[in-house]
Amino acid sequence: MRKKIVAGNWKMNTLPAEGVALAQEVVAKRGEVCECVNFIVCPPFTHLAQVAEALKGSTVELGAQNCAAEAKGAYTGEVAASMIAALGCKYVILGHSERRQYYGETSETLNKKMEQAYANGLTPIYCVGENLEEREAGNHFAVCKAQIEEVVFNLTEEQFKNLVIAYEPVWAIGTGKTATAEQAQEIHAYIREVLASKFGAAAQECPILYGGSCKPSNAAEIFAKEDVDGGLIGGAALKAEDFIAIGKGFMA
Ligand code: PGA
């Protein structure tokens, strides 16, 4: 049985007090959903410590949205994986399309970030996905395959056991346009096949999340698909009620 995960990517939203209030609300409502669903919240760096405090004693877990490619030293403005781990993070989102697109993150950088994550006991949530042009040209399979081969294929078998993949078509992120459940299943199954070509049976255990305008009204249909193991949620994660309602999608 693969882990079921609903992870909230808060992006650059909420001030510390708002983040704490949101986390408290998620904790308060978490009981409405089966314990079999794992909830993760990923606030901005600046309030990881306060949100960690708010999550204490609950089963809601903490993640960061990024980490540095280097361990420590003269890298002004960067935040090391060891620092976020020390604040209680269990997960780190890596390779989000916004990082690839706006901050020029390449597979080379991401390989280093993955190493830092594992060296500090973090589970990466590694994002892949094509943009609209690539989808329209029918290149979405090739794009996802390359993003996996160039980074995930460098992991050891041990590291691979501690990996979450998020498939996020760029054209669906923050646009209100969601992939259909069939489109999601098609590419999730393909991604699992690519993973299996390198890691064999272990690919069956790797959670693959869908991300891109996932909301309470479409979560159940998408999560019902065999190879969809949950969601990476942006906008809808900023309202505790919606975030939890997405988790209920597994129970529908
Ligand atoms: P969205 O973002 O749910 O707002 O589309 C998802 C993501 O980028 O992780």
Side-chain angles (χ1 to χ4, degrees):
M1 264 291 270
R2 282 190 294 271
K3 237 176 161 175
K4 297 176 170 53
I5 297 174
V6 177
N9 173 10
W10 295 4
K11 308 193 180 183
M12 198 170 72
N13 293 297
T14 70
L15 291 174
E18 294 164 341
V20 167
L22 176 55
Q24 285 169 340
E25 231 187 302
V26 170
V27 167
K29 292 184 189 298
R30 194 261 170 273
E32 296 172 18
V33 181
C34 166
E35 283 294 329
C36 62
V37 180
N38 299 273
F39 284 97
I40 304 167
V41 293
C42 304
F45 290 136
T46 44
H47 23 307
L48 283 173
Q50 281 163 276
V51 171
E53 197 56 38
L55 298 181
K56 254 197 193 137
S58 84
T59 56
V60 180
E61 297 181 295
L62 188 65
Q65 299 171 21
N66 184 25
C67 72
E70 316 294 338
K72 65 174 186 173
Y75 301 99
T76 303
E78 288 291 282
V79 178
S82 60
M83 298 170 184
I84 59 176
L87 294 180
C89 286
K90 295 271 178 286
Y91 298 85
V92 60
I93 299 171
L94 290 177
H96 190 279
S97 62
E98 287 152 16
R99 302 283 328 161
R100 293 180 192 262
Q101 197 181 338
Y102 307 145
Y103 303 98
E105 285 194 3
T106 59
S107 294
E108 197 186 342
T109 323
L110 288 168
N111 279 315
K112 291 166 121 189
K113 293 189 176 198
M114 294 283 269
E115 274 310 311
Q116 286 304 316
Y118 284 113
N120 290 283
L122 298 166
T123 297
I125 301 175
Y126 178 69
C127 305
V128 300
E130 79 286 353
N131 63 30
L132 185 60
E133 207 179 301
E134 291 161 341
R135 163 70 62 169
E136 284 174 347
N139 287 338
H140 43 297
F141 294 109
V143 169
C144 293
K145 185 173 187 223
Q147 288 170 338
I148 287 172
E149 281 178 346
E150 289 168 16
V151 177
V152 177
F153 277 21
N154 296 326
L155 302 182
T156 63
E157 281 177 25
E158 251 344 272
Q159 288 172 329
F160 178 69
K161 286 184 192 155
N162 249 315
L163 176 72
V164 176
I165 302 261
Y167 166 68
E168 299 203 303
V170 179
W171 47 271
I173 296 178
T175 57
K177 205 175 157 188
T178 326
T180 63
E182 289 68 31
Q183 282 174 323
Q185 169 57 23
E186 182 185 38
I187 196 135
H188 280 227
Y190 174 75
I191 289 169
R192 200 176 300 289
E193 234 176 76
V194 173
L195 295 173
S197 73
K198 170 78 179 174
F199 296 102
Q204 294 306 318
E205 305 302 317
C206 179
I208 306 178
L209 314 183
Y210 168 78
S213 299
C214 191
K215 39 189 183 269
S217 59
N218 59 28
E221 196 189 346
I222 298 172
F223 294 175
K225 294 294 179 188
E226 193 184 331
D227 287 289
V228 180
D229 305 306
L232 180 56
I233 319 300
L238 296 172
K239 258 184 80 185
E241 198 182 327
D242 288 352
F243 185 56
I244 296 297
I246 287 171
K248 288 180 188 166
F250 281 114
M251 300 153 78

